[in-house]
Amino acid sequence: MSTAVSTRVKPLSVTKAGGDRKHDLRSGQQPGYIDGSRTCNNSTIVPYRTPGELKKLCQQRRIHRTEHHGTTPPGRLRKDASVAISGIITFGRDVQQKIRDLPVKEQDRLYLRAAKSVARRLKTRVAGLVVHRDEASPHAHYILEGYDLHGAPVSKKLTRGMLSSLQDVIVPAYEHLGITRGEKIGVRIARGDDPSTYINRSVHQLHHDLPKEIKEMEQKLEDNVQEREKSEAELNSLKLDIENLEKKHEKSEIKLNSIDREIETKEQAVEALTKQFGSACKQAKKGMADLEALKKNKAKIKKRTETYENRLNKALAELEQLAGMAKDVPEPEEILVAKASDSVLRKYDVDVTPKKYVPHGQLTHWYGAVMHMRNKAYDKVRDYKTENEELKEELELMHRVANQLIHDTARPDSLTKAPKTIANDMVDALSVPYYGVIMKISPKIVGVLPQQQVTNRQKAAALYRASREKWKDKGLTTYRVQSDDTAKEIILMAIEDAVDMTISFDNQKYQELLINTVIKAKKEGWYGEVQAKDRPAVERSKDPREAPERTPAHNFPGLPS
């Protein structure tokens, strides 16, 4: 898999510099492999200097060098002397589409950054830079001044070690896109790779191989489109499942609330009947005690016996009436109360012990009917509770799926940031490939879908650039990210573009990190400039072509480096 960026350089005489200039600027007759209808898409980033200007500049630097060292002034340049260094920036076939997908301005910015990196390594300046988009693959040509800033010929620096180091200095411009440095030829030869993979092909060979390669890329693109459509269908299905489960859950809660109210009403009725039953039992006991006393003196208590027998019959009638009323009432749950004296939970039961003058079958029938209704009611409650727990588990699963969708997103600050709303917007948004990352983009939200083999730096670049294009002139943009590295990359890009006042984070830690990093950037003087790691800080030149990149703030306050 070829995901590398590379550059090749060669010295040019005045005559050869003129020929290269005509080809790069599309002046005069051009080869047949150039698509003239797309030549208008080419970009001239740094205007080309003429061969005569380059020759004059080289002669001046030679003279300046001798004056500085106090040596004899040099003679005129030879006719075949090197006055310029020609270079080209190319990409592996697997990342060429990533470059094409970038906005034109972003492509131009990265090409200029890479060309300046080569110029700084050789201690010279860029004398011309043009991007060609009218050929089979995207690439850029650049011209460097043939003598360095100290008057030494650059051509003598082009050793094998220097040419290898040039491959290293251009990688930082593209590494956030997942583009890497190519393997060294010596390693590939020692490994036994096919020579066709490291020997540059001619134009004729390219025109023979490219149609087959283009067909393979088109097939890959078609596979990606089918996979995207499949993902969209799955997301829509998940959305419908979530809606159905939420409706089902709402209906279940309504049923449970109704059952709870019904049980509460019946419990109150049973409690009242229990109190009445206890009172009737007490009256029956009192009547039995009175009858035992009256038996000792039958002659004196005949009339009183009739009175107490009437009282007993009345109590028995009340018991029968209460038993009939209790047939439709479920028995209440056992009530546990705390005894204040010893703090021990105790269970209070209704005394339903049958007496000899109360029909035993009547009490048994009453108690059985009450217990049957209670068990039936509680079985129904348990069934509803079991169904409700299953619904809750399914809904929780849907919420976990939705929660994966709300990370790594950006929204206009004027819109709500509720997680449920964010998840619904992500489902409704269109899936598109952007910066080599599958994203969801709509007027309401820009987000990165969960996917493998995508680094936090790629996520940050895609999320930041897409949201900037979407809401560049619409006020504040709020980011919701789950990785410290993603937050760092977004903050660095915002400081580089000097737009830190138009972004915010919904996480307080990242918001404080943004503020502290902006303060540090302004204090140390690298605010609004391109960042590059492991590069010493130097003073900025007045000439923009000599402008170096400043050292970034690696020690983020609030987070580990």
Side-chain angles (χ1 to χ4, degrees):
M1 184 175 182
S2 179
T3 61
V5 58
S6 63
T7 184
R8 300 192 300 275
V9 296
K10 63 180 180 180
L12 298 177
S13 64
V14 174
T15 303
K16 292 182 178 180
D20 275 29
R21 186 173 186 271
K22 288 182 179 180
H23 171 77
D24 295 349
L25 299 179
R26 298 295 190 249
S27 175
Q29 186 176 0
Q30 298 299 319
Y33 58 81
I34 294 175
D35 185 356
S37 62
R38 292 190 291 149
T39 300
C40 59
N41 297 329
N42 295 347
S43 300
T44 300
I45 303 173
V46 178
Y48 268 56
R49 292 190 178 183
T50 64
E53 292 173 344
L54 292 171
K55 181 179 180 180
K56 182 178 179 180
L57 176 64
C58 292
Q59 182 66 18
Q60 290 174 353
R61 288 188 177 174
R62 294 176 70 221
I63 295 173
H64 177 72
R65 182 183 184 186
T66 58
E67 291 176 350
H68 180 72
H69 292 286
T71 58
T72 304
R76 297 178 61 184
L77 283 170
R78 294 173 49 185
K79 184 176 181 180
D80 59 348
S82 173
V83 298
I85 302 297
S86 172
I88 184 172
I89 300 172
T90 59
F91 304 92
R93 68 181 66 180
D94 295 308
V95 295
Q96 290 178 3
Q97 190 58 42
K98 283 187 179 181
I99 300 300
R100 294 191 186 96
D101 292 340
L102 293 175
V104 173
K105 290 184 178 180
E106 180 68 7
Q107 293 182 34
D108 293 350
R109 186 182 72 83
L110 297 179
Y111 280 127
L112 179 59
R113 179 178 174 182
K116 283 185 175 181
S117 298
V118 175
R120 280 193 293 272
R121 184 70 180 86
L122 296 173
K123 297 182 180 180
T124 184
R125 301 187 305 180
V126 179
L129 175 61
V130 64
V131 179
H132 285 169
R133 300 185 179 91
D134 54 358
E135 297 185 34
S137 58
H139 61 276
H141 295 276
Y142 59 89
I143 293 292
L144 306 179
E145 296 167 351
Y147 278 69
D148 66 16
L149 301 177
H150 302 293
V154 178
S155 59
K156 293 184 178 180
K157 300 180 181 181
L158 301 181
T159 62
R160 177 175 296 181
M162 175 62 76
L163 295 177
S164 178
S165 70
L166 295 183
Q167 312 306 317
D168 297 326
V169 300
I170 65 172
V171 172
Y174 297 96
E175 62 183 354
H176 67 280
L177 299 175
I179 298 176
T180 60
R181 184 201 190 283
E183 291 185 303
K184 295 183 178 181
I185 292 180
V187 175
R188 299 166 74 178
I189 293 175
R191 193 171 56 201
D193 287 1
D194 190 340
S196 63
T197 62
Y198 53 80
I199 297 178
N200 295 327
R201 293 179 289 179
S202 65
V203 173
H204 177 74
Q205 291 173 327
L206 286 172
H207 281 280
H208 178 268
D209 298 339
L210 282 178
K212 181 179 178 181
E213 296 172 358
I214 291 173
K215 186 176 180 180
E216 293 176 353
M217 291 299 296
E218 289 176 346
Q219 182 62 40
K220 288 183 180 179
L221 179 60
E222 184 178 353
D223 293 341
N224 289 337
V225 171
Q226 293 177 355
E227 184 176 355
R228 182 192 69 186
E229 293 175 351
K230 182 179 179 181
S231 298
E232 289 179 347
E234 291 176 352
L235 286 174
N236 291 332
S237 177
L238 283 175
K239 181 181 178 182
L240 290 176
D241 291 343
I242 290 174
E243 292 177 352
N244 293 335
L245 285 174
E246 288 177 344
K247 292 178 181 178
K248 195 173 182 180
H249 178 66
E250 290 174 357
K251 291 181 180 179
S252 178
E253 286 186 339
I254 294 173
K255 289 180 180 180
L256 285 175
N257 292 334
S258 176
I259 292 173
D260 289 340
R261 288 194 298 269
E262 182 180 355
I263 290 175
E264 184 179 359
T265 302
K266 291 185 180 289
E267 285 177 345
Q268 293 174 355
V270 169
E271 184 178 359
L273 289 174
T274 302
K275 291 180 179 178
Q276 294 179 12
F277 182 78
S279 177
C281 289
K282 289 180 181 179
Q283 291 181 8
K285 289 179 180 180
K286 188 176 182 299
M288 287 293 296
D290 291 342
L291 285 174
E292 289 294 331
L294 288 174
K295 287 180 181 179
K296 296 178 181 180
N297 194 358
K298 294 181 180 180
K300 296 181 180 180
I301 59 173
K302 181 178 181 180
K303 186 176 180 178
R304 293 180 63 185
T305 299
E306 293 176 355
T307 301
Y308 285 118
E309 285 178 351
N310 292 335
R311 185 184 295 176
L312 178 60
N313 292 332
K314 183 179 179 180
L316 293 175
E318 289 179 357
L319 285 174
E320 291 178 357
Q321 184 181 2
L322 289 174
M325 294 174 61
K327 288 181 180 180
D328 297 328
V329 180
E331 185 182 25
E333 294 181 354
E334 294 177 337
I335 303 174
L336 296 180
V337 299
K339 187 176 180 181
S341 60
D342 53 6
S343 301
V344 177
L345 292 181
R346 184 178 174 190
K347 186 184 303 181
Y348 287 85
D349 299 322
V350 177
D351 184 8
V352 293
T353 305
K355 304 301 179 179
K356 61 182 180 179
Y357 55 85
V358 179
H360 181 270
Q362 185 177 359
L363 290 177
T364 304
H365 175 73
W366 178 86
Y367 184 79
V370 172
M371 291 296 294
H372 175 71
M373 293 190 66
R374 186 200 69 169
N375 293 336
K376 185 176 181 181
Y378 276 92
D379 287 341
K380 190 175 182 181
V381 171
R382 280 194 296 270
D383 292 341
Y384 277 119
K385 286 185 177 179
T386 301
E387 183 181 0
N388 188 47
E389 289 298 326
E390 293 174 352
L391 291 176
K392 285 182 179 179
E393 291 178 359
E394 293 180 9
L395 185 60
E396 182 181 357
L397 176 60
M398 295 300 102
H399 283 319
R400 288 200 298 269
V401 174
N403 188 53
Q404 291 295 323
L405 298 177
I406 68 176
H407 293 302
D408 298 324
T409 58
R411 297 168 63 83
D413 193 65
S414 60
L415 296 179
T416 178
K417 306 177 187 66
K420 182 177 179 181
T421 304
I422 295 175
N424 287 334
D425 290 345
M426 281 288 287
V427 172
D428 294 336
L430 179 65
S431 297
V432 295
Y434 194 88
Y435 277 70
V437 179
I438 302 299
M439 303 188 65
K440 301 285 284 185
I441 298 179
S442 75
K444 296 181 180 180
I445 195 167
V446 171
V448 178
L449 288 175
Q451 53 199 285
Q452 297 179 348
Q453 298 180 348
V454 176
T455 65
N456 289 327
R457 175 169 287 184
Q458 289 176 277
K459 290 182 181 179
L463 187 60
Y464 173 76
R465 296 301 177 192
S467 60
R468 285 286 296 159
E469 292 179 5
K470 198 73 178 176
W471 305 302
K472 183 177 182 181
D473 301 319
K474 294 187 178 180
L476 196 64
T477 300
T478 301
Y479 293 90
R480 183 188 188 100
V481 297
Q482 61 179 343
S483 165
D484 294 348
D485 292 336
T486 304
K488 289 180 183 180
E489 291 298 329
I490 291 176
I491 291 172
L492 278 181
M493 288 186 284
I495 292 176
E496 175 185 335
D497 296 339
V499 293
D500 54 280
M501 297 300 293
T502 65
I503 71 169
S504 68
F505 294 88
D506 65 349
N507 184 304
Q508 182 65 26
K509 179 176 69 172
Y510 297 151
Q511 186 64 24
E512 292 176 357
L513 175 63
L514 169 64
I515 296 172
N516 294 336
T517 308
V518 171
I519 294 174
K520 184 172 183 178
K522 291 181 178 179
K523 181 178 179 181
E524 296 181 358
W526 49 270
Y527 180 82
E529 296 188 4
V530 177
Q531 304 303 306
K533 293 184 178 180
D534 305 324
R535 195 164 293 161
V538 295
E539 293 297 325
R540 179 172 290 280
S541 171
K542 295 182 180 180
D543 191 332
R545 292 173 298 177
E546 296 181 14
E549 297 173 350
R550 294 186 180 272
T551 301
H554 295 296
N555 298 322
F556 283 83
L559 287 178
S561 300

